Amino acid sequence: MLEFFQNLSPVMQALTATIFTWGMTALGAAIVFATKTVHQKLLDSMLGFAGGVMIAASYWSLLGPSIEASTDNAVGPWFPALVGFLLGGGFLWIIDKILPHLHPNAEKKQAEGLAADKRKRSTLLVLAITIHNIPEGLAVGIAFGALANHSTEAALAGAITLAIGIGIQNFPEGVAVAMPLRGQGMSRMKSFMYGQFSGFVEPIAAVIGALAVAHIEPLLPYALSFAAGAMIFVVAEEVIPSSQENGNRDLATISLMIGFALMMVLDVALG
């Protein structure tokens, strides 16, 4: 796998990696072809698992490297990480207030964003997961874009590991969109199409992130922490609450711990 990626430019590496993560979203959505319902406990455990992966990736793949890349910063190595992290969270907060969306498991009346009450439930669900995927795509793109100036086998392995982790947690996100739609009577094909479409934004965000850091090297530590802040906002504001609001708190929490541990091991062992 390393040899394959080494023959590509950083932008093409990011695009290839996020096509994989998009494919994992589609794979999760494809569950609708096998069944009409997924047990709520399973769905909540998958959401918890996804949250754990995102939290671990935010530190080991993003915040940690941001601090390491800032050792020469005049204020301190913590400064770019702090600024980028808060800007990333603020960016997602603004999108959350503007873009109409509906969290998984929520009632239509709980939809958020501008003119949310005028949108179809299916559209709102897709937009909710799309919000998730913006920082995920950026994170993968930034990790590969950094290779334009600091290309080593370890750095490449770390970027690939991040993409694998994001792909793993995209599977339950595809399920979280497609299965509720199927349960409400939507056809299998339409439920699948809505579910997989939520991952389409990842390759776009990845290319933007890769181009930005590949051509503006001083931006790298800020971009890494920006993606981390955006991901943590999504986890805290949506993923964890959605996984626990149906009474399966212990199961969701244990699943989050497992997801965190798996991503930690992948990143440390492979990256």
Side-chain angles (χ1 to χ4, degrees), residues 55-204:
I55 293 172
S58 294
Y59 176 73
W60 272 278
S61 296
L62 300 170
L63 281 176
S66 171
I67 294 171
E68 291 175 7
S70 306
T71 53
D72 296 331
N73 186 272
V75 178
W78 52 268
F79 182 73
L82 174 65
V83 172
F85 185 81
L86 294 179
L87 286 176
F91 173 73
L92 258 291
W93 179 79
I94 292 172
I95 288 183
D96 192 64
K97 296 301 179 185
I98 295 175
L99 192 67
H101 63 283
L102 181 66
H103 297 178
N105 303 325
E107 299 291 333
K108 177 67 160 41
K109 62 184 179 181
Q110 296 174 302
E112 302 175 12
L114 300 177
D117 57 334
K118 300 178 181 179
R119 307 283 182 173
K120 293 181 179 180
R121 180 180 177 84
S122 56
T123 302
L124 292 170
L125 282 169
V126 172
L127 289 174
I129 303 301
T130 299
I131 292 175
H132 287 197
N133 290 336
I134 292 173
E136 294 167 9
L138 279 174
V140 174
I142 291 165
F144 280 103
L147 300 177
N149 301 300
H150 304 282
S151 184
T152 64
E153 278 201 5
L156 177 58
I160 293 172
T161 301
L162 175 61
I164 291 172
I166 295 296
I168 290 171
Q169 67 89 40
N170 273 4
F171 181 86
E173 289 187 351
V175 176
V177 175
M179 291 310 300
L181 298 178
R182 177 59 182 153
Q184 293 168 20
M186 186 176 286
S187 70
R188 286 185 171 89
M189 182 55 71
K190 288 188 69 174
S191 298
F192 167 74
M193 292 303 294
Y194 274 115
Q196 64 83 29
F197 184 76
S198 63
F200 177 71
V201 71
E202 286 193 5
I204 298 173

Side-chain angles (χ1 to χ4, degrees), residues 3 15 45 60 71 92 125 139 173 223 225 231-232 250:
E3 291 182 2
L15 180 61
S45 67
W60 272 278
T71 53
L92 258 291
L125 282 169
E173 289 187 351
S225 53
M231 292 222 296
I232 290 296
D250 288 347

Side-chain angles (χ1 to χ4, degrees), residues 103 105 234-246:
H103 297 178
N105 303 325
V234 168
V235 173
E237 200 271 342
E238 182 167 341
V239 177
I240 292 177
S242 294
S243 70
Q244 298 190 351
E245 63 187 10
N246 293 289

